[in-house]
Amino acid sequence: MAQQADVFKKLVAHCKEYGFVFQSSEIYDGLAAAYDYGQYGVELKNNIKKYWWDSMVLLHENVVGLDSAIFMHPTVWKASGHVDAFNDPLIDNKDSKKRYRADVLIEDLIQKIEGKIEKEVTKAKKRFGDAFDEAQFKETNPGVLANKKKIEVIHSRFAKALNDNDLEELRQIIIDYEIACPISGTKNWTDVRQFNLMFSTEIGSTADGAQTIYLRPETAQGIFVNYLNVQKSGRMKLPFGIAQIGKAFRNEIVARQFIFRMREFEQMEMQFFVRPGEDQKWFEYWKEKRMLWHKALGMGDDSYRFHDHDKLAHYANAATDIEFKMPFGFKEVEGIHSRTDFDLSSHQEYSGKKLQYFDPELNKNYVPYVIETSIGVDRMFLSVLAGAYNEEEIEGKDGKKDTRIVLNLPPVLAPVKLAVLPLVKKDGLPELARSIVNTLKFDFNCQYDEKDSIGKRYRRQDAIGTPYCITIDHQSLEDNTVTIRYRDTMKQDRVKIEELHGIIADKVNLREVLKKVV
Ligand code: GAP
């Protein structure tokens, strides 16, 4: 675990050093839980967004896009339930004066016990070697069984407390399991209180009677209030979906783990409108589709898992998360929710406008049910980087051991697809290199680099995850061939210049990944 925390620290430093992510307003000592994306970060982020958008909107003829305003009528948030129910349970440690989310403290405790089980399993694996039967060990080992039982008990108390909104019981779990503040190390806790997460501001001048409005905490409501506009203007028939990418804002009290939990972040959400009664079927459909989307990136199927919600949000009748194995454990990257007709019915009631759909096949009006897929761009970004970051021991100069830091990013997401490197800065090599860039730049993000030794240049490209380095040498001038170096294997091939486009397109073309998710 300590080692993993170490990896995470290095990843955060790497993001800054190589222009992926910077702290917001850093020259003023930063603003907590707000981040800026640098020159490579913005490319990676845009590639993630394009992968999502194309998989939703291009691959589904019944899914269309939308770009709604961040500012919305304040009643939207009353109708959606966010004014009354978008809260986090908070608890303060009286000694350190630090504030925590009570639910997160308990989740961390469960994770710690899970970690103990994993440790036992790893130890036993080493002891028994090939003869080790993991399933049997987990079912029979007394230490593992005791920890499993402990998790079960905490889990059921925790789920009940959340569902009953029982803040005293949440505190009692923290007391009973002697959860200590990581800063002060004491168990001197306040009561648990609810805290609303929406940011508010004012619109209009005070003289006109300014109105309090909210920065949207989710993009979804922009879709709900536009669903009939899109349905009518696009002559959409149920089932159909509306996809949107945009910023959302939450006054997270416990903002931590870098870009995992931010106060300003970006969401990619899709609301899929279905006939009442068909919601479970479509919920399963989108669960499967979304998992396929993640796995198609080739970052290892074991890195993902579903996690069904213990406490359903105020709008949902079923919900699951897709979790990714981050350096700090399996964490939510995406939520898939069956939101019933809660939002549309509520907007219908608050606005006084009919939001029903006329179903020509059933010859009847009704308020559709909704399945939502909701993924954070920033969390996806973090999961991709965490999965890609590697420190490899390699043989360096004079046979000495060296460490190579490489981002094994899925090539479709890599910010730079190829670097073109003249071996030396003379003899016409830079000119040939530039002409290759000028041909390939229309299709791929290329980088030209002539500074430093070739070895150093390879390392720089490895560190930003560039899948291909093309080296131009004196032979290139004679026979129009170049070497292509593959980031992951560091192997090199000699190929003709005219073959480059095909070789690179094969691996970095979004089309190849999209074909896996249809
Ligand atoms: N419309 C449903 C909704 O907003 P959510 O589970 O609260 O559901 C969806 O959020 C996704 O948005 C999460 O799975 C996560 O990826 C991202 N997200 C939520 N809060 C975030 C935060 N404070 N910082 C970064 N990403 C966040």
Side-chain angles (χ1 to χ4, degrees), residues 121-399:
V121 172
T122 314
K123 254 180 20 202
K125 234 184 222 165
K126 262 194 201 151
R127 204 165 356 120
F128 295 113
D130 288 345
F132 183 61
D133 180 338
E134 185 171 329
Q136 196 196 11
F137 179 79
K138 281 183 169 167
E139 274 163 31
T140 51
N141 180 274
V144 170
L145 287 178
N147 276 324
K148 270 166 98 175
K149 181 78 197 152
K150 199 169 170 183
I151 291 175
E152 227 175 84
V153 174
I154 301 172
H155 205 268
S156 81
R157 275 181 75 181
F158 180 45
K160 187 166 179 337
L162 286 177
N163 279 316
D164 297 348
N165 214 356
D166 186 345
L167 303 182
E168 267 174 41
E169 171 66 353
L170 278 182
R171 181 174 190 275
Q172 202 52 49
I173 298 172
I174 291 171
I175 302 294
D176 290 351
Y177 287 91
E178 302 188 334
I179 298 178
C181 164
I183 309 283
S184 66
T186 70
K187 298 155 200 155
N188 194 7
W189 297 107
T190 61
D191 287 342
V192 178
R193 284 154 298 125
Q194 292 287 21
F195 180 86
N196 193 283
L197 295 179
M198 281 199 295
F199 281 107
S200 63
T201 184
E202 294 196 335
I203 200 161
S205 73
T206 339
D208 296 342
Q211 200 178 13
T212 298
I213 57 163
Y214 300 99
L215 295 188
R216 66 180 178 197
E218 61 171 11
T219 59
Q221 296 305 322
I223 294 179
F224 287 123
V225 299
N226 276 297
Y227 117 89
L228 259 195
N229 286 336
V230 173
Q231 189 270 318
K232 288 198 167 130
S233 58
R235 297 182 300 126
M236 308 295 291
K237 274 170 92 179
L238 245 61
F240 74 91
I242 304 178
Q244 167 159 238
I245 300 178
K247 289 270 183 159
F249 305 83
R250 294 181 190 177
N251 194 5
E252 299 281 4
I253 288 310
V254 188
R256 58 176 187 171
Q257 281 148 341
F258 192 38
I259 54 172
F260 182 78
R261 201 178 295 288
M262 300 155 88
R263 297 204 168 103
E264 173 183 341
F265 57 100
E266 208 165 355
Q267 288 186 316
M268 307 188 280
E269 299 203 294
M270 197 274 306
Q271 320 297 133
F272 199 69
F273 300 90
V274 303
R275 267 186 197 157
E278 293 188 355
D279 38 321
Q280 193 54 37
K281 176 180 95 181
W282 287 109
F283 178 67
E284 294 302 328
Y285 171 88
W286 282 108
K287 252 179 89 168
E288 194 202 319
K289 274 271 163 212
R290 295 305 305 147
M291 189 55 110
L292 198 62
W293 183 88
H294 287 274
K295 290 186 174 171
L297 287 172
M299 298 189 63
D301 289 3
D302 292 350
S303 303
Y304 304 91
R305 71 178 189 194
F306 283 116
H307 174 243
D308 295 334
H309 285 205
D310 288 324
K311 179 184 191 246
L312 292 173
H314 57 272
Y315 48 71
N317 70 359
T320 194
D321 293 335
I322 293 178
E323 295 186 334
F324 182 82
K325 201 180 196 170
M326 302 274 191
F328 40 89
F330 269 100
K331 293 285 169 190
E332 172 192 349
V333 172
E334 170 157 8
I336 298 148
H337 313 122
S338 175
R339 289 181 81 131
T340 66
D341 60 351
F342 173 85
D343 303 83
L344 291 180
S345 294
S346 188
H347 285 306
Q348 185 168 261
E349 190 188 322
Y350 276 80
S351 67
K353 309 269 163 38
K354 274 215 158 25
L355 294 179
Q356 290 184 337
Y357 167 79
F358 176 71
D359 190 326
E361 278 169 39
L362 300 183
N363 196 25
K364 151 173 168 191
N365 284 304
Y366 55 79
V367 175
Y369 271 43
V370 173
I371 307 303
E372 164 184 77
T373 71
S374 175
I375 171 168
V377 181
D378 314 87
R379 268 194 207 175
M380 181 64 195
F381 183 104
L382 183 59
S383 69
V384 167
L385 273 187
Y389 183 88
N390 275 309
E391 289 179 9
E392 289 175 2
E393 276 218 341
I394 56 166
E395 206 171 288
K397 266 190 195 157
D398 315 321

Side-chain angles (χ1 to χ4, degrees), residues 54-71:
D54 287 0
S55 74
M56 284 294 175
V57 178
L58 294 193
L59 299 189
H60 296 94
E61 55 185 275
N62 59 351
V63 177
V64 294
L66 180 79
D67 184 13
S68 69
I70 289 174
F71 290 155

Side-chain angles (χ1 to χ4, degrees), residues 499-517:
E499 288 170 351
L500 282 176
H501 190 285
I503 295 172
I504 294 160
D506 223 29
K507 279 278 185 306
V508 308
N509 211 325
L510 192 49
R511 172 184 231 273
E512 296 311 310
V513 187
L514 287 175
K515 275 194 211 155
K516 295 185 195 163
V517 301

